[in-house]
Amino acid sequence: MITVSVKWQKEIFKEVEIDTTQSPYVFKCQLYDLTGVPPERQKIMVKGGLLKDDADWSTLGVKEGQKLMMMGTADEIVKSPEKGTVFVEDLPEEEQVVAVGHTAGLFNLGNTCYMNSTLQCLHSVPELKSSLIKYSHSGRNNDVDPSSHMLTIATRDLFNELDKSVKPVAPMQFWMVLRKKYPQFGQLHNGVFMQQDAEECWTQLLYTLSQSLRSPGSSENLDAVKAIFGIELISRIHCQESNEESSETESVYSLKCHISQEVNHLHEGIKHGLKSELEKASPALGRSATYLKESRINALPRYLTVQFVRFFWKRESNQKAKILRKVDYPLELDVYDFCSDDLRKKLDAPRQILRNEEGKKLGLKVNDTSSAQKENDVKMSDAEGSSNVDGEPSVVPMDEGEKETQMTGIYDLVAVLTHKGRSADSGHYVGWVKQENGKWIEFDDDNPKPRVEDDITRLSGGGDWHMAYIIMYKARVVSV
């Protein structure tokens, strides 16, 4: 790491750090944050001519304390409108999306599309942003290690920057802290940062946030990340050989969609993912035996994440190979069939209310007596289950003024993280996110593009095009 000063127009920026292990493009992204001059417009004078994006720092002879000269025109600063109010409907299509739903992209800092796509998908969750905003610089829980604290701060600050910016953002600070917390994301190959697995980035980031965003001195019930993404599973573990049987409860942040020759649809893949075989010691047999583990959902999250298990370790090539098989997924997902019997009973009344509400919107006649009875059942169910959190389908408000609602087991697709290529550690990752106005945006690093629903359903695989790797659904709820 060396420190230089940069002269641009009449300004001099002192003590600008250059990480010589990264490409000059990353340095240009830093200067973009300072000057507003996009990397492609920057002309920086170094030994031998202009600084190129992919140049090798070791050949440029840049020294500690050196003054560099930069030329280039900054993006025009947005001024207060001199004319009267312009209505959103009068703006061009792409500007309407910017006005109604945020579409700022993230600069790729060198094979960081796995990180950018993960951040764009998680940035779309208002409840997560709300929890991050409440997280204080000084209010670190003593149970949280310093690197987790810094990663949480960096996530919060980056989300804030994305919310305030229309131009692409360089996630420099976040990336530096991520690599410090999880060194595997800083792996180099021939001096270049390697592509990483987006699912690993997603999982590690959520795990860190789950530790940081837990209320100090509280039980796990006040874990914000668990409240937003946590899926409670209840499992029956059975050994056919000895007839031993046990049960266990666990909390996970995603369901797995296992892919085989029999799997053509998400439902089939999730069904396979909820069954597995375990090899463990059998007390009855006095030796190792095979157990069948069958799981059911016992508590639902606000946001349901599903990972397509597309990668497996291929010994011949010594890398994660990819299953290209097409697996369709719906825009609306009903998980009722995957729920435990107890949870299904609690979902029945809210589901009837939802059917009645949707029926009224379509102009269908609804049995009001039945509807009133069902609504009363919801309240009774809520009262009966208030002392037992397990399996409770109610959604506890996370913010003041937010109404309490009931889960229905029905979810709407709001984000898709795709991968293009043949290996998890190569290729390209992209985030596709549904905005609050109902429109979809493809976040391909610093180049967001408006998309339509048909584009989203084409991401199911079957070739070398972008295919869904992680998908996220938002719960459809009814008011209590």
Side-chain angles (χ1 to χ4, degrees), residues 375-394:
E375 286 185 29
N376 188 51
D377 288 345
V378 170
K379 290 170 184 172
M380 289 294 290
S381 169
D382 188 40
E384 290 167 4
S386 60
S387 61
N388 179 16
V389 176
D390 293 343
E392 183 58 57
S394 63

Side-chain angles (χ1 to χ4, degrees), residues 72-137:
T73 310
D75 287 331
E76 185 181 351
I77 298 171
V78 180
K79 297 178 182 177
S80 301
E82 295 176 4
K83 298 180 181 178
T85 304
V86 178
F87 292 98
V88 173
E89 293 80 1
D90 299 327
L91 294 170
E93 183 72 15
E94 288 191 25
E95 288 184 35
Q96 285 188 37
V97 178
V98 173
V100 182
H102 179 70
T103 63
L106 289 165
F107 280 116
N108 190 317
L109 304 177
N111 286 328
T112 57
C113 57
Y114 69 91
M115 179 184 81
N116 290 350
S117 52
T118 295
L119 287 167
Q120 292 289 12
C121 289
L122 294 178
H123 173 249
S124 71
V125 180
E127 294 89 340
L128 180 60
K129 288 197 283 188
S130 177
S131 295
L132 282 164
I133 288 168
K134 295 172 189 171
Y135 189 77
S136 145
H137 265 288

Side-chain angles (χ1 to χ4, degrees), residues 4 36 74 98 100 113 144 149 155 164 200 268 288 321 329 332 424 453:
V4 298
V98 173
V100 182
C113 57
V144 178
H149 172 66
T155 307
K164 294 173 183 175
E200 189 178 353
E268 297 161 344
S288 185
Y329 54 88
E332 177 189 303
E453 277 190 348

Side-chain angles (χ1 to χ4, degrees), residues 174-208:
F174 177 88
W175 191 37
M176 288 167 64
V177 178
L178 178 70
R179 283 180 291 148
K180 187 174 182 179
K181 172 68 179 172
Y182 298 108
Q184 66 265 37
F185 296 120
Q187 289 177 313
L188 293 167
H189 179 67
N190 294 331
V192 178
F193 284 102
M194 296 171 62
Q195 178 70 283
Q196 300 292 335
D197 188 340
E199 189 274 332
E200 189 178 353
C201 180
W202 183 300
T203 301
Q204 299 285 35
L205 180 55
L206 276 192
Y207 173 76
T208 300

